[in-house]
Amino acid sequence: MHEDRSFLWPIIGGLVVTILFCSVMLVRGTGEKRYQVSVIVSDSSQDRWVPLKAGLTQAARDNNIDLSYVYTDYIDDVFTQTALINQEIADGADGIITDFCLSVGTADIVRSIIARVPVEFIITNVDADADISGNYATVMTDNVEVGRAIGNELVIDYGDRLKEMKIGIIAGNQQQYAMQDRLKGFLEAVGAKEPEIVWTVEESRFLEQELKRSMERVTPAVIVGLDNTSLEAAVDYVATAETKKLPLYGAGCSEKLAYYIDNGTIASMILPNEFSMGYQSLTDLAAKLRNRMMVLEDREQDFNVVHQDNLFRDENQRILFPIVQ
């Protein structure tokens, strides 16, 4: 009998150790790595990023990601942007989400970054080598279609009256393929009506001054802004100018622009779904970080056409005034 009890002690000891180990694991979790993702966009504190931030925040919660939204001023130098990205990687970022201020000639920069971490490019695509490791992708709207949609709104509202109508264009950052595509799409949409493009102003640190000079040189009948910065610049000019109020058309996603749609200053605006853009980019990046064999894929996001009559529809309000669950 004594020998039987002696035989049981090693078994009991083993069971105790197993129970203790399981208890510790339940308390501490499985030890799965919590990944860090840094987001770097130009002028990061601007309201135009609110929908994107909300999508990123929701995706971070759903995917257990530590999200770092890097504070930046206006970025018009890709080497400054690259230095910020490199610093985030040095500080422990496992992945990067960014909108490059330059699309042309970026292949070497992209190659250097994706050799270390996976990257999701948003808003615009960039020059990059073929990537068999699937370590980068782009999440954006079809920007040619966005441009066409802006142009179609003018065609709907003016029809044949567009012939020789003077139009001024604030064309966004033409160093980005996205803005080049929007300009191309806009010109294709209105081309058959033969309006007169009296000036085109590109985004820069001196946009306000350039717009003022262009308006003083030739006053158009309509101003078109191809992105949020462009359309807000048009709104600011029209709101303070002592000339008659000009109809505005364009694309954007800020609460400020929603206000000017509501009061009739903006006749029509294309609203990219940047909440979805933020959510999709971080969700895909989180999946890539958990499974390095996964290939990141380009994703196309939709957009809505917004004007005074449909501004307060649920689908537009959810993008303009998102609530993170």
Side-chain angles (χ1 to χ4, degrees):
M1 194 72 173
H2 177 73
E3 289 179 357
D4 289 343
R5 285 199 297 271
S6 298
F7 174 76
L8 289 173
W9 285 119
I11 298 173
I12 294 170
L15 287 172
V16 169
V17 170
T18 302
I19 291 169
L20 287 172
F21 176 78
C22 290
S23 299
V24 170
M25 292 302 293
L26 285 171
V27 172
R28 297 181 61 184
T30 61
E32 180 180 348
K33 177 177 172 60
R34 186 177 172 92
Y35 293 101
Q36 301 175 48
V37 172
S38 293
V39 181
I40 300 172
V41 295
S42 177
D43 224 353
S44 62
S45 62
Q46 292 297 305
D47 288 346
R48 61 86 68 246
W49 295 117
V50 167
L52 180 81
K53 285 182 181 179
L56 290 165
T57 300
Q58 185 66 62
R61 292 181 181 179
D62 292 349
N63 291 279
N64 198 31
I65 293 290
D66 285 333
L67 183 65
S68 173
Y69 197 82
V70 180
Y71 174 81
T72 64
D73 293 317
Y74 179 75
I75 301 175
D76 57 1
D77 176 2
V78 73
F79 296 106
T80 298
Q81 193 163 10
T82 303
L84 289 170
I85 292 170
N86 288 337
Q87 185 59 56
E88 288 302 304
I89 296 172
D91 290 342
D94 300 296
I96 298 291
I97 296 173
T98 189
D99 72 321
F100 260 25
C101 62
L102 175 70
S103 293
V104 182
T106 57
D108 289 344
I109 296 172
V110 172
R111 187 186 311 115
S112 172
I113 297 170
I114 67 172
R116 292 168 289 159
V117 298
V119 179
E120 286 278 11
F121 294 101
I122 54 173
I123 309 299
T124 186
N125 49 332
V126 298
D127 280 346
D129 298 331
D131 176 31
I132 60 173
S133 64
N135 235 28
Y136 79 89
T138 304
V139 181
M140 63 180 187
T141 55
D142 182 331
N143 286 293
V144 172
E145 289 303 315
V146 170
R148 285 193 184 122
I150 298 170
N152 288 338
E153 289 298 291
L154 270 77
V155 172
I156 291 168
D157 289 350
Y158 293 98
D160 291 338
R161 288 179 294 153
L162 273 177
K163 185 174 178 62
E164 298 182 358
M165 179 181 282
K166 291 180 169 60
I167 297 176
I169 302 174
I170 310 175
N173 177 6
Q174 285 293 305
Q175 298 300 310
Q176 293 178 319
Y177 287 146
M179 294 304 108
Q180 294 175 16
D181 285 345
R182 288 189 187 185
L183 181 58
K184 174 185 175 184
F186 174 78
L187 295 175
E188 287 176 353
V190 300
K193 299 298 182 181
E194 299 180 336
E196 182 183 357
I197 309 301
V198 292
W199 47 256
T200 301
V201 177
E202 298 183 17
E203 180 188 319
S204 73
R205 293 179 182 271
F206 310 105
L207 177 57
E208 182 179 345
Q209 298 95 307
E210 291 293 331
L211 175 58
K212 185 173 184 293
R213 280 195 287 268
S214 296
M215 288 293 295
E216 289 171 348
R217 187 173 69 250
V218 182
T219 301
V222 172
I223 300 177
V224 171
L226 294 184
D227 69 350
N228 198 91
T229 299
S230 302
L231 196 51
E232 286 193 1
V235 160
D236 290 342
Y237 181 87
V238 169
T240 58
E242 296 179 357
T243 59
K244 68 174 184 177
K245 303 304 182 186
L246 301 175
L248 306 179
Y249 291 77
C253 56
S254 68
E255 185 174 345
K256 176 178 179 176
L257 294 180
Y259 170 81
Y260 283 101
I261 293 173
D262 190 34
N263 76 6
T265 302
I266 298 174
S268 178
M269 183 179 82
I270 306 308
L271 175 65
N273 192 340
E274 292 198 1
F275 178 93
S276 178
M277 191 180 297
Y279 190 89
Q280 186 72 65
S281 61
L282 185 53
T283 297
D284 285 356
L285 194 54
K288 173 68 174 178
L289 291 171
R290 290 191 295 266
N291 176 13
R292 295 299 177 136
M293 298 301 292
M294 174 190 162
V295 174
L296 289 173
E297 297 181 2
D298 293 342
R299 307 281 190 179
E300 185 177 300
Q301 302 301 301
D302 59 5
F303 58 83
N304 298 340
V305 180
V306 182
H307 41 74
Q308 199 173 36
D309 292 341
N310 70 357
L311 174 62
F312 294 104
R313 287 184 183 172
D314 287 347
E315 62 268 27
N316 297 327
Q317 292 292 292
R318 281 194 296 268
I319 298 172
L320 286 164
F321 309 106
I323 298 174
V324 178
Q325 302 296 321

